[in-house]
Amino acid sequence: DADVTQTPRNRITKTGKRIMLECSQTKGHDRMYWYRQDPGLGLRLIYYSFDVKDINKGEISDGYSVSRQAQAKFSLSLESAIPNQTALYFCATSDRDRGAGELFFGEGSRLTVL
Amino acid sequence: GNSVTQMEGPVTLSEEAFLTINCTYTATGYPSLFWYVQYPGEGLQLLLKATKADDKGSNKGFEATYRKETTSFHLEKGSVQVSDSAVYFCALTPGFQKLVFGTGTRLLVSP
């Protein structure tokens, strides 16, 4: 089983709908991240959380919200989806003791907004 | 600010060819540098890293040297295989656990 699990893996929705992408991890890491991948743009950070009570905006947080329900769970919500949020979304984790920059990624959630 | 610039792809090679993927960076302070690889349909995986100037990161036959004087961290492999076909991302962190990624370079290796 994957250490970082994302659900759903694929989702097609319509403009204006609320969408939640979920991430759970069994690595025991305290830090979790949501990234968005677009062709030609690489990965951009949406939100990150260094522990359950710590939530921080990344470089492209507008239109998104997150919830850290437990150390192992970090959800990303799109309150009212729009077509330019069509992208591949990745959850990642890291361990504060392992060193900066060593992230472990899930397999991604492909979201299409029509 | 912090940023990473990678060569545009795709890079197309025949099996056993020599690979170089260029990466240069702009950063405040003294960043750590990374190469991540994304195989088709998968998430990113850490390939190698270097934490200070002149360090060489290596893994699975890939190497990259942290060159502070040229602000570069080029990825090299002496003999690529078909199984190396993937997208490669250069990244940096200035030390507070937020990675800044380049745009990625797709490598296609043919038999």
Side-chain angles (χ1 to χ4, degrees):
Chain A
D1 290 339
D3 294 322
V4 183
T5 303
Q6 294 183 230
T7 55
R9 294 291 312 279
N10 288 283
R11 182 72 183 269
I12 300 173
T13 191
K14 295 182 178 180
T15 297
K17 294 293 187 181
R18 184 177 187 273
I19 294 296
M20 178 179 286
L21 305 180
E22 298 184 333
C23 177
S24 63
Q25 53 117 344
T26 58
K27 299 192 72 66
H29 290 169
D30 50 345
R31 302 181 177 199
M32 299 187 74
Y33 309 79
W34 276 103
Y35 282 89
R36 167 178 171 159
Q37 183 179 23
D38 297 277
L41 295 178
L43 276 79
R44 293 179 292 168
L45 183 62
I46 307 172
Y47 271 95
Y48 62 102
S49 170
F50 282 179
D51 66 42
V52 175
K53 295 182 180 180
D54 177 74
I55 303 289
N56 303 281
K57 293 182 177 180
E59 58 182 305
I60 55 162
S61 59
D62 287 349
Y64 301 95
S65 62
V66 291
S67 173
R68 185 83 183 264
Q69 300 95 325
Q71 187 194 37
K73 296 184 181 294
F74 193 37
S75 299
L76 176 71
S77 294
L78 288 68
E79 295 301 325
S80 179
I82 56 177
N84 76 0
Q85 291 177 315
T86 293
L88 183 57
Y89 291 85
F90 285 103
C91 176
T93 72
S94 69
D95 183 337
R96 78 177 73 184
D97 294 326
R98 191 178 182 90
E102 294 193 41
L103 269 57
F104 295 83
F105 285 82
E107 294 182 324
S109 295
R110 184 169 297 281
L111 176 65
T112 303
V113 183
L114 302 176
Chain B
N2 300 301
S3 65
V4 175
T5 302
Q6 292 182 233
M7 60 189 294
E8 287 202 22
V11 174
T12 303
L13 296 173
S14 297
E15 206 165 25
E16 299 184 3
F18 184 86
L19 168 71
T20 299
I21 299 178
N22 290 336
C23 170
T24 57
Y25 67 90
T26 301
T28 54
Y30 303 95
S32 295
L33 302 174
F34 304 82
W35 278 101
Y36 277 79
V37 58
Q38 183 181 29
Y39 298 105
E42 299 184 9
L44 282 71
Q45 304 172 25
L46 177 63
L47 181 59
L48 54 83
K49 70 173 186 178
T51 58
K52 60 183 186 295
D54 300 324
D55 269 2
K56 178 185 284 188
S58 61
N59 188 23
K60 300 181 180 179
F62 291 90
E63 294 182 339
T65 301
Y66 189 145
R67 301 288 189 196
K68 186 179 176 184
E69 64 276 11
T70 55
T71 62
S72 65
F73 192 55
H74 304 321
L75 183 67
E76 297 181 334
K77 187 175 186 184
S79 177
V80 293
Q81 305 301 310
V82 172
S83 57
D84 293 326
S85 297
V87 181
Y88 292 82
F89 291 90
C90 187
L92 67 81
T93 177
F96 39 83
Q97 294 237 3
K98 287 195 296 179
L99 273 174
V100 175
F101 286 91
T103 55
T105 302
R106 182 175 299 277
L107 170 65
L108 300 171
V109 181
S110 56

